[in-house]
Amino acid sequence: MANTTSPSGAARTTLTLLGSLTGAALLGALHSHARPPPATRSPAKAPVPDPAAANRAARRLNRAAGTLAASVLFDSTVEHYRGQFQNRAMYTPLVTAAMALGVSAHGTMDERQTPHVVRDTVYALISIVGLVGTGFHLFNVRRKAGGFSWQNLFYGAPLGAPMAIGLSGLLGYLSERVRETPPGQVPMIWGLPAGRVVGVVSGLGITGTVGEAALLHFRGGFHDPFMYLPVTMPPVAAIVLGRSALGPAGIARRATRWWLRATAILGLSGTAFHAIGVGRDMGGWRNWQQNILNGPPIPAPPAFTGLALAGLAALGLLEDHPDD
Amino acid sequence: MYDNPLTTPRATHGRAPDVFHPGGWVPMREYPQREAVDFVVIGTGAGGGPLLARLAERGYSVIGFDAGPYFRPLEDFASDETSQSQLFWTDERLVDGANPLKMGANNSGRAVGGSTVHYAMVSLRFRPEWFRSRTLLGYGADWPLDWREMWHYYARAERDLAIAGPVSYPWGPKRPRYPYRAHEINGAAEVLARGAEAMGYQWSETPLATVSAPRGDSPSCVYRGFCRVGCATNAKQSQLVTYIPRALAAGAEIRDMAMVGRIAVDAAGRACGVHYHRNGAWHFQAARNVIVAGYAIETPRLLLNSATDRFRNGLANSSGLVGRYLMTQSNQAVYGVMDDMVRWNKGPPSLTITEHWNYNDRKDFHGGYCWMAQGPLPVEWSAAMSTSRRLWGAALREKMGDYNHQVGLKMVGEMLPHLDNRVTLADETDRYGLPIARVTYSWHDNDKAMIQHALGEMQRSLELVGVRDLWRQENDTNHLAGTARMGFDRETSVVDADCRSWDIPNLWICDGSVFPTTGGVNPSLTITALALRTADRICVQARTGEMRK
Amino acid sequence: MTERNRYPGYDVLVKRHSPSWNEATRRVMDARLGVPREPRFLSRIEWDTLVAICDRIIPQPKNRPPVPLAAYIDQKLKADARNGFRNAALPPQRAAWQIGLAAFEVEAHQLHGKAFHHLTTAQQDDLLRRVESGRIDAPAWGDLDAALFFSEHIMGDIIAAYYAHPTSWNEIGFGGPASPRGYVRMRNNRRDPWEPVEAGPGEEARVGRENRRVR
């Protein structure tokens, strides 16, 4: 039957399946609210900081930074190829994201308690590159006809994208700070408990990524109801994470954990959603030269996964090192 | 074996082509010829399509007739200007007058879906004052309609066609957000934007009926740029892929390759059916009501060709105005060359627009105009170059070499209605033995003043952004309107506000031919909104018993 | 004739099996490229005149196979494929072409004592310009408005036939058929890999290599 409102055939089936899976993750997250918080440990009996805990948290952060870097690497490769590397600076995110990916892999496997000077330098450098990249993208949008118009926000250089690589660097940088915690001490960053700092950074990162997804899904007219997921689920995760990071040390984090896990899964299923979207475009995968570039960006959604992993690392830090 | 829709009707045996799948079919209800259906709709374009869908959805038995073939774009449309003339009305019409019109590819479709199968998808609303241009602006004629009511139907048409438009439109009263976001603009469209900014005018992405994200079985636009010779991807939201499938799903029948030659009138002076030619023979379909939606040439031609002893001057023509007040729109352009590699054929041709002179009344002529970016394909471009610049030989080939550097701005301007611009019947007959139309058109002083104003403005705009080798295409027109105008009384108009003819109570006319004035924007969205309103009015009148009076 | 090739090495037909062409396009283009090169509607004399006229309206370089323009006009007349409108001052297109071509012959004989296709190109151009501006005196034109015939048919039909041919698309750098694959890069100075590169003076060899990779 000719149908003018929803896709038909295999695409529809797969979309439904994926949606159900993501929905199940969401339900899991919601459900965990309903249960009373289990009395795991009382604040009075805070354990002595476990020297391995800091390293574990640091490696989790390396993994988060690496996931984010991978997303940026593939996404910026596709997008800057589309832009024909018109400007030599457009190779920067490829190089930096590849470096971030490399050092993050190294960090994830590194069980030593001390920061690594190369990792540390690369992460710090990448944070700055993110800021500079944002400046470049702002300039690109501003000089187009119409300036800061919807047209240029939709189709010009994406303002939020360079921040993702910056975030990857920042998370890595934080991981090095956590790693350098002397044995027996609570990890601190800039004089604040590390778990809280990482939690706030991850929460803000998720919020920014939601902004980017909202802009681009608005550009796509939210033509598919599943396009509302990344603008509804991660914000909740960001809020509960923020509450965990800023609130009293003893509050239940079980719900936060579930929301973050759901967000991490959402990031991965988003990739599958986008791949189906590419297949639905004119000519499908046979027309990949066009549809990879003009269709939904396949590598973009795992940015949520990376940030959710960072949030989970923050939760781990908060639980391992209650600060009051 | 390729089943050729131009030689054999496809909508037969209880099924119609599934436009979304090569070789596919959808079930279609069929009505017997001898039993009167509630409505026969003649023409399936911007006027007929919405009527078919809405009336069928309200439970009426409806048949849509179209003289043209029933295409499946995915399998029938080549990326080729010449062969895609299969979409155009190429049967002969005579043109004369001081400024003979160009028909065919320019403004006349012949396919299920009508001209919307090849239109440029520009979906604009009238300026509200144009519905009262005589009273408020001092020219033309008033419409017997309230703009606020039209605003409501425009919004519905925009939803139904999933118009991709800007987040906020700079001109006119507030309108709901367009269902889809505007498309990325191309280099040629950016020239309009920069030029408008240099002149201090506002510009906008043009609201277009081609989707910027998937919609059902329509994939998003791939910017192939062949829009005006038919969309081979179904991204274009033509009647063929929107209202017509809706109509079929609701129980309407479509008869493709069915040329209606005559509307029959019974002894009581009411329309009682149509004589149509299909599969090499004439047939008769009985009907309780007839709606003509054949556009500004075929509608008056059919009414005039249906003359009887009782209606000697043709049907619905006691006013003598059927065929009169034909309007086209001025479609002049200024073109030039840039050093940049533009490749203006990429993307829909009219991605940006300025309606500045539609909404600004500080000018010394009546009516308004807008201008839009351009991106003609090679055959169309060579025709524009050669006729406007009198170029042929080596000179033409050399200038054509600049194709990828070319940019241009093209106006759509309001021409005023004149009694003597008209459609009449010629002595020649067509392949069905029916007298063909003679289309007589002359520009008047106001039309010429507007054209000169627009050419000057467009040229200045291009000069300001450094476009060089400018030249003017002075002699082009496009869309049609008039020839069965609506109005307030039976002496000065053919139909009333509900598109119902004054003379024959069960005969409606619903397409661009009812426009009393044509406005300075492309007419298709207004035709669609009007058809949606007419469908609603018919349902109201049926309920109140007014239909049988 | 030497002329600069702005898109050296570009051949739109290479894209025939790429996603830029769909089945309908291949069907149509196969028919176009396979047009019979002999007259099927026009007489031999009319054909010779028409070929000569086409050579002047669209002079073609000698270093490539010419677009058989006269064949497309003959094909259009044989099918009687019309445009959908006709200036009331002109007869139907078949009659217009037949009267017009015959009148060219009469004019050529009156002015130069030779058939039109035996005139020098300068003489041919001169005669074409006379017809274009309506400066004709042969009664052979009858009721046919020569200037109108020139703009509507001589120019209109021949030029449209040329720019419907892939050879002309190579010449002007037109991307050609585009479905299902359309275009990605919409802004100025951006090129999709399946679009040709334009060569500036002296760049022909390098650009030629690039354009041979366009598919």
Side-chain angles (χ1 to χ4, degrees), chain B residues 239-535:
Chain B
Q239 299 289 326
L240 180 62
V241 304
T242 55
Y243 287 107
I244 300 293
R246 260 174 71 176
L248 289 174
E253 180 184 345
I254 302 292
R255 288 197 192 147
D256 58 335
M257 300 297 287
M259 174 73 183
V260 174
R262 187 177 178 83
I263 298 167
V265 182
D266 63 17
R270 293 173 63 92
C272 61
V274 293
H275 297 276
Y276 67 99
H277 191 275
R278 198 185 196 204
N279 276 326
W282 286 98
H283 309 274
F284 179 74
Q285 174 65 50
R288 280 183 277 280
N289 300 280
V290 173
I291 307 178
V292 188
Y295 208 19
I297 308 299
E298 292 309 310
T299 288
R301 179 184 173 214
L302 176 60
L303 295 172
L304 297 173
N305 270 336
S306 300
T308 65
D309 285 345
R310 179 169 179 165
F311 301 105
R312 285 177 184 282
N313 297 323
L315 302 186
N317 197 18
S318 66
S319 62
L321 294 179
V322 168
R324 297 263 187 193
Y325 293 114
L326 172 67
M327 290 165 282
T328 185
Q329 289 179 313
S330 32
N331 199 208
Q332 279 64 19
V334 180
Y335 295 105
V337 173
M338 296 182 83
D339 292 331
D340 289 312
M341 194 64 170
V342 181
R343 303 188 206 256
W344 62 347
N345 59 293
K346 295 205 269 188
S350 309
L351 283 162
T352 49
I353 182 171
T354 178
E355 277 207 66
H356 180 83
W357 288 108
N358 272 336
Y359 286 85
N360 186 319
D361 291 325
R362 285 194 311 257
K363 52 200 174 194
D364 52 8
F365 53 86
H366 288 308
Y369 68 86
C370 60
W371 71 68
M372 283 175 269
Q374 285 301 295
L377 294 170
V379 173
E380 185 189 355
W381 176 236
S382 67
M385 286 262 276
S386 58
T387 49
S388 292
R389 306 180 77 177
R390 312 282 334 152
L391 279 177
W392 48 273
L396 173 68
R397 277 190 58 227
E398 195 204 318
K399 292 286 181 199
M400 282 297 292
D402 287 331
Y403 180 75
N404 283 336
H405 293 275
Q406 213 76 53
V407 294
L409 303 173
K410 203 162 214 236
M411 73 183 292
V412 169
E414 177 168 18
M415 285 196 156
L416 300 192
H418 289 281
L419 194 68
D420 292 337
N421 285 336
R422 63 186 299 200
V423 175
T424 51
L425 297 177
D427 297 332
E428 283 181 48
T429 55
D430 66 5
R431 52 178 146 158
Y432 309 105
L434 301 166
I436 65 171
R438 174 186 289 269
V439 183
T440 306
Y441 208 89
S442 304
W443 302 352
H444 288 71
D445 288 344
N446 190 78
D447 305 327
K448 294 173 187 169
M450 176 189 290
I451 288 167
Q452 286 313 311
H453 186 269
L455 286 168
E457 288 281 289
M458 293 188 290
Q459 178 156 354
R460 193 158 71 85
S461 170
L462 290 178
E463 280 165 357
L464 285 171
V465 292
V467 180
R468 54 185 171 77
D469 296 347
L470 297 177
W471 59 274
R472 296 171 166 200
Q473 183 185 15
E474 302 242 7
N475 194 20
D476 203 8
T477 57
N478 53 2
H479 315 109
L480 305 170
T483 71
R485 57 159 46 179
M486 65 162 61
F488 297 90
D489 57 65
R490 60 170 62 242
E491 284 75 37
T492 60
S493 60
V494 179
V495 297
D496 64 15
D498 299 332
C499 292
R500 191 173 176 181
S501 74
W502 294 110
D503 298 349
I504 301 176
N506 67 339
L507 178 69
W508 279 261
I509 298 163
C510 191
D511 56 32
S513 53
V514 303
F515 284 23
T517 55
T518 185
V521 297
N522 308 43
S524 67
L525 193 73
T526 303
I527 299 173
T528 301
L530 202 58
L532 290 172
R533 181 185 182 277
T534 301

Side-chain angles (χ1 to χ4, degrees), chain B residues 4 56 70 85 95 121 153 157 200 234 238 292 313 381 405 411 461 489:
Chain B
N4 188 343
Y70 203 140
S85 63
V95 293
M121 311 166 297
Y153 286 103
N234 284 330
S238 68
V292 188
N313 297 323
W381 176 236
H405 293 275
M411 73 183 292
S461 170
D489 57 65

